[in-house]
Amino acid sequence: MSGTMRRREFVEGLLAGGLVFAVGSTGCRRLRGAPPPRALPDGVIEPAVYVRIDDTGAVTVLCHRSEMGQGIRTSLAMAVADELEADWARVKVEQAPGDERTYGDQNTDGSRSIRQFLLPLREAGATARALLEAAAAKQWNVPVTEVEARLHQVIHQPSGRRASYGSLVAAARRLPVPPKSAIRLKEPTEFRYLGKEIPIVDLFDMTTGRAQYGQDLRREGMKIAVVLRPPVYGGKVASVDSTEAAKVAGVERIIEVKGKAPPAGFQPVGGVAVIATNTWAALEGRRRLKVTWTDGPNAAYDSDGYRAELERTARSPGKVVRNQGDAPAALAGAARRVEADYYIPHYAHAPMEPPAALAVFEDGRCEVWACTQHPEGAAHEIANALRLSRDDVTVHVTLLGGGFGRKSMPDFMVEAALLARETKAPVKLLWTREDDIQHDYFHSVAAEHLEAGLDAGGKVTAWLHRSVLPPIGSTFTANVVYQSDGDLGQGVTDFPYPIANIRAEAGPAPAHVRIGWYRSVINIPHAFAISSFLDEVAHAAGKDPREFLLDLLGPDHVLDVASAGITGKPQNYGETFADHPIDTGRYRRLLELVTAKAGWGAPLKKGQGRGLAVHRSFVSYVAAVILVEVRPDGSLRIPQVDIAVDAGFVAHPERVRAQMEGAVIMGLGNALVSEITFKEGRAVQSNYGDYAVLRMDAAPRDIRVHIVPSTGRPGGVGEPGVPPIAPALCNALFAATGTRIRRLPVGRQLISGATPRV
């Protein structure tokens, strides 16, 4: 951080004395000192990831995705190293800076990193391997078919001659890059690293305190900044009395930060910043500020009143988003009609590490270091706020102490950049836990209304689903009150069960806070409602939930989205349905696997119950069985959770297990204890004391992860584990107590006459 490295210097540094590859959508190419590719003629950005082999044979992979514990820096490097036949001990990873012209989309969200970049990075490693083999064959004057790369060497099979990678780099650099069609990728049976247990590359630094996160950033001469923000979204500063704040030793300046009125997008909401020489002074100065606010249009926002409003809307006809057959007529003529309403509250991301950013503004350029999931988006927002050219903004990515989508929103980085320009000094902006929880981009509150019609034999003949929630789009565009096609494609319009009469509707819901991406996004309310209601319908039909779901799926088939009656554009998480169809056979196999592993149907003790749920999201399939035990005093214990995942080919099983375990914990926290409420437009909760996350003593005693072996296309992993957890839990509570839980968190409900303690 001692100086500013220009992009051209960065690329030239990569090229010096080494073999460098840019791997993109058109294949692999070697760079020869030219700047990275710009936008293609049609405006599409070509993603590129660089792989470097220097003259010593050391391999460097530049990771363009953010590391927040999911192991992506390791998994992408494994893909290169495996196809390259590299010695893992000689592979290192460097974090790429934010530059969409070089790397394309760098936003680490949507569980896309492996499914979008595993193949290109394998191709990069295979191309490098082919060039090294060709260089050795030319050097020995033998056919390339007689040489083979193996563990950082190229071997001539007939003679036994060997050449190290480092000794071949200079010659390989002069060879033409083979076309993509000529590259041979390994078969899965040949993998040395992929699919194996590999410790993450950051493990030592993380466990010894050497790893640098956003909150760890330091620079000589930097100032510390904190901001007092409007307590109500859309509020403004009416007056400021900074007399007492200015008396704090170390406080240097008090600066008003101009905010953007709703919809604020990624820009700051405004407030008053305290600039100081140290953290204590900045926080104490902020505490002593006397600010009068004009609360604005959201001052009356109240969670209880808004819930009632959402539920009224959900019980009324809405905009039809999917229509097959005649669901209203089928419901009217059903032998039995089942209906239920479900509600989930706002959630805050609440990662262990709150947002933080260090910004430097010098000579008309801005450089920022931050724990960000979205470096290129941040660079654009900073450039817009400072009225700079995009070329004059550089963003560097640190490790993230959790993200869950919050750090895709770069408002905190824009704040740091604005203050650095104002103070003409390096500024480290800190968010406290209270800042983060009370001024988050909250997960959307939601009301879901469902109805089903059954015939005399208990077969489902009609399905109605109405979903009402303030959409994420409201944060960026005024007057957006309906869910997008993408939101609805997370469980509603992609509902997989072959019921003859299906209608899905969306209702309008105005937003009164910033709504943002949260791990698993709108799958959370949709899956909670759908999987809970399916369990209710199963019991109404007098059937075991497992057998009911298997029967409802019918013969294995692929959902024909073109004829499913979807009124908008069918969405599939950015993937084609040809590559990632909605396959009911995968639902079936997963249900059979997880119930077998969980001992579904085995005898239970008094007060125990098992619950089942399955959901497809981010083109992966996850099913969960949760065993609960409710004691007579209402205390709740979770002895066991079985979670099964079919995510296609799994590059890094250890990280997949960790992601599923983390998803169970987060999903249970969402279901049991987490909730953000509002009074007079203000978030009531402020820290882990009142915004509860699942505590260690309430966690399941045994989480068992079952990964379906597959050589299919990779699906997402980071997010799909969360959606089935809450409904599986509530279904288990019904099995244990006979009480239905339709409102989250469970901690606000009564079970067996007592409030459960978790």
Side-chain angles (χ1 to χ4, degrees), residues 351-370:
M352 288 297 293
E353 177 202 31
L358 172 60
V360 177
F361 187 89
E362 293 176 345
D363 302 324
R365 288 181 48 80
C366 187
E367 194 164 10
V368 180
W369 293 259

Side-chain angles (χ1 to χ4, degrees), residues 736-754:
T737 68
T739 299
R740 279 289 174 194
I741 303 295
R742 300 187 182 100
R743 178 187 180 186
L744 299 182
V746 173
R748 294 185 63 165
Q749 314 299 300
L750 295 179
I751 300 176
S752 298

Side-chain angles (χ1 to χ4, degrees), residues 647-687:
F649 174 72
V650 168
H652 197 179
E654 186 273 335
R655 284 293 90 192
V656 172
R657 284 198 301 275
Q659 289 281 19
M660 291 299 118
E661 291 166 351
V664 169
I665 297 298
M666 190 169 189
L668 288 174
N670 289 345
L672 289 167
V673 294
S674 299
E675 180 180 31
I676 292 287
T677 59
F678 287 83
K679 292 288 185 183
E680 297 181 343
R682 291 156 169 78
V684 174
Q685 293 75 22
S686 64
N687 206 318

